[in-house]
Amino acid sequence: MSLAEKYIEFVNQADIEALMGLFSPTAALFHPAGEFTDGAAIRNFYSSVVFAGQAITEIQAKFTDGDTEILQIRASSPFSEPGNYVHAADVFRIQAGLIERLDIYYR
């Protein structure tokens, strides 16, 4: 299982400790909701936004090029209308086996 696939697994489980274990101490997360450039900010983003929405994420496609993994995903929430999905591309830059940078884009 790739690092990006583990990320999706931990997001779906709302397992903040396991998820944070995937990020390097110097990781940065860039998301439409903001830029999160330290561990505390990244932890807070997942706890207060992603996990609060109870998102269930499915991988639609995966691409790997060197130290970069890209996932095309769709996510749903029990708070949304049935069949209503958010579509995203997550771009993972990996160094020393950890996420150094994650860019999330929506359509």
Side-chain angles (χ1 to χ4, degrees), residues 14-101:
D15 186 339
I16 192 66
E17 296 307 321
L19 182 65
M20 292 307 298
L22 300 178
F23 286 89
S24 82
T26 58
L29 169 67
F30 298 91
H31 183 275
E35 297 181 4
F36 308 94
T37 56
D38 64 52
I42 292 170
R43 176 184 290 273
N44 185 58
F45 167 74
Y46 283 99
S47 295
S48 65
V49 176
V50 178
F51 297 162
Q54 299 178 15
I56 300 298
T57 304
E58 304 169 46
I59 299 171
Q60 302 291 294
K62 177 184 161 194
F63 309 91
T64 303
D65 183 20
D67 65 353
T68 301
E69 290 186 47
I70 302 170
L71 296 181
Q72 182 180 347
I73 62 170
R74 75 177 189 172
S76 61
S77 168
F79 301 114
S80 298
E81 294 293 322
N84 187 19
Y85 294 97
V86 171
H87 296 269
D90 291 4
V91 181
F92 299 82
R93 303 237 174 82
I94 300 165
Q95 291 183 349
L98 296 172
I99 300 167
E100 185 62 36
R101 180 181 172 122

Side-chain angles (χ1 to χ4, degrees), residues 1-14:
M1 181 179 297
S2 74
L3 189 68
E5 290 167 321
K6 288 179 187 176
Y7 166 89
I8 295 297
E9 179 180 334
F10 297 152
V11 166
N12 286 340
Q13 294 171 353

